Amino acid sequence: MLMSNPYAYPLPVPELIERYRATYSGAVYDVLDEMGYPNQALAPDIKPVDRAWTLAGPAFTMKGIPEPTGDPDLRARRIHMFEAMKATGVPIIDVRDCSFDTQAAHYGEMNATVGSACGVIGAVVDGGSRDTRFLLERDFPLFCRYLSPVEAVKRWSYYDWQNTVSLRGALTSTVPVSPGDFLVGDLDGVVVVPRELVVDVLRQAEELIRHEDVVREEFLVSDDPVGVYRRHGRL
C-alpha cells in the first residue's frame, strides 16, 4: 500500500529539485550502483526531445492501456487525474507507463498545458508524443521514446494513476516507478531514485561531483596522470 503522502521528504521538494538539477544522471546512477541499486536507469531510447532539456523531480505516475473503442467513461476520467496532480501541492514529473503501446502519441501540448497548471514541471513517457513544435516553444522538458502525429483516441487511453508503474529499463526489462520516487534526466537518459533514498543519494551525488571537480583540475595541471589516478582512483 502506498503511503498517504509520498511527497513528504526530510527536505522541501523545491530544494530537492534545485539541488538534483545541479547534478547529472551519470553521477546519480554511480551512487545508486555503489549502494546496490544498479537497475535504476530507464531504457536508453527514452530521451529528451530537445538535447538541452534536463529534468528532476518527484514522480506522479500514470498507467495507460490500449483501448480501441474510445470508451467515453475512460475519456471522462482524464480530468480527474489532473485534479489529483494539483492536489499533491508540489512540483511533479508526469510519468507514463503506456503498456508498451507503439501505435499512438501518448503525450502532447494540451497535456503539458493542463499539467503545467497543476504543478507538472516535466514528463517522462515510455511511449510517444506529438505537438512537438509547441512543446519546444513552451520549453517544456519531455522525455519519450518516439514522436508521432497519431491521435490516441480509439487506440490508447488513460487507465489509472498514483500506483507503482513499470517503464522499460536499461539493464532490466522494466524499472518500477512509484509516486514520490525522484527522476533525474538529461541527454544521457533518466535515472529513478527510490523515494526512501532521495536525500541520501542526493548528498552522495553532490559529494561525488565535488570530488570529480577536484580530480578534473588535477588531471588538467598535472604531468603525472598515473599519480593523480592513484590518489583518487577515478577517471
Side-chain angles (χ1 to χ4, degrees), residues 105-134:
H106 311 102
Y107 203 83
E109 188 266 339
M110 288 303 294
N111 286 273
T113 298
V114 181
S116 295
C118 299
V120 176
I121 57 173
V124 174
V125 179
D126 188 1
S129 181
R130 67 182 202 165
D131 309 327
T132 308
R133 174 167 62 89
F134 300 104

Side-chain angles (χ1 to χ4, degrees), residues 1-224:
M1 177 180 292
L2 295 176
M3 62 189 66
S4 58
N5 182 8
Y7 306 105
Y9 308 92
L11 297 174
V13 171
E15 178 182 343
L16 290 170
I17 291 172
E18 180 180 6
R19 289 171 64 180
Y20 263 110
R21 280 177 174 166
T23 70
Y24 63 95
S25 64
V28 173
Y29 177 82
D30 287 353
V31 169
L32 285 163
D33 197 18
E34 285 291 321
M35 295 175 69
Y37 294 85
N39 300 321
Q40 297 304 115
L42 298 185
D45 59 346
I46 300 177
K47 287 290 181 66
V49 173
D50 186 311
R51 291 168 59 89
W53 280 345
T54 62
L55 170 149
F60 182 103
T61 61
M62 189 275 277
K63 174 73 171 178
I65 58 172
E67 205 291 292
T69 68
D71 186 328
D73 292 333
L74 285 177
R75 287 180 56 78
R77 290 185 66 223
R78 293 183 301 173
I79 195 64
H80 299 296
M81 183 184 76
F82 293 103
E83 290 179 331
M85 289 175 166
K86 191 168 187 176
T88 66
V90 297
I92 50 174
I93 304 297
D94 186 340
V95 178
R96 301 198 169 195
D97 170 353
C98 301
S99 298
F100 305 106
D101 179 73
T102 58
Q103 292 190 31
H106 311 102
Y107 203 83
E109 188 266 339
M110 288 303 294
N111 286 273
T113 298
V114 181
S116 295
C118 299
V120 176
I121 57 173
V124 174
V125 179
D126 188 1
S129 181
R130 67 182 202 165
D131 309 327
T132 308
R133 174 167 62 89
F134 300 104
L135 294 169
L136 291 168
E137 289 173 355
R138 292 180 63 95
D139 195 25
F140 180 88
L142 166 68
F143 288 60
C144 65
R145 293 184 58 232
Y146 61 86
L147 303 176
S148 170
V150 176
E151 165 66 62
V153 174
K154 293 189 177 181
R155 298 177 181 91
W156 180 89
S157 179
Y158 298 60
Y159 182 70
D160 203 1
W161 48 88
Q162 288 299 73
N163 292 304
T164 298
V165 296
S166 297
L167 277 66
R168 288 176 177 84
L171 298 179
T172 52
S173 59
T174 60
V175 176
V177 184
S178 297
D181 290 351
F182 242 73
L183 281 81
V184 180
D186 54 30
L187 184 57
D188 289 334
V190 181
V191 179
V192 180
V193 182
R195 184 192 179 281
E196 65 275 12
L197 302 177
V198 165
V199 173
D200 193 16
V201 169
L202 172 62
R203 289 172 174 160
Q204 291 191 48
E206 290 174 331
E207 180 56 35
L208 174 61
I209 292 169
R210 283 191 289 268
H211 183 216
E212 285 183 335
D213 289 342
V214 171
V215 175
R216 185 179 299 109
E217 288 301 314
E218 289 193 28
F219 273 124
L220 286 172
V221 301
S222 175
D223 58 2
D224 181 16

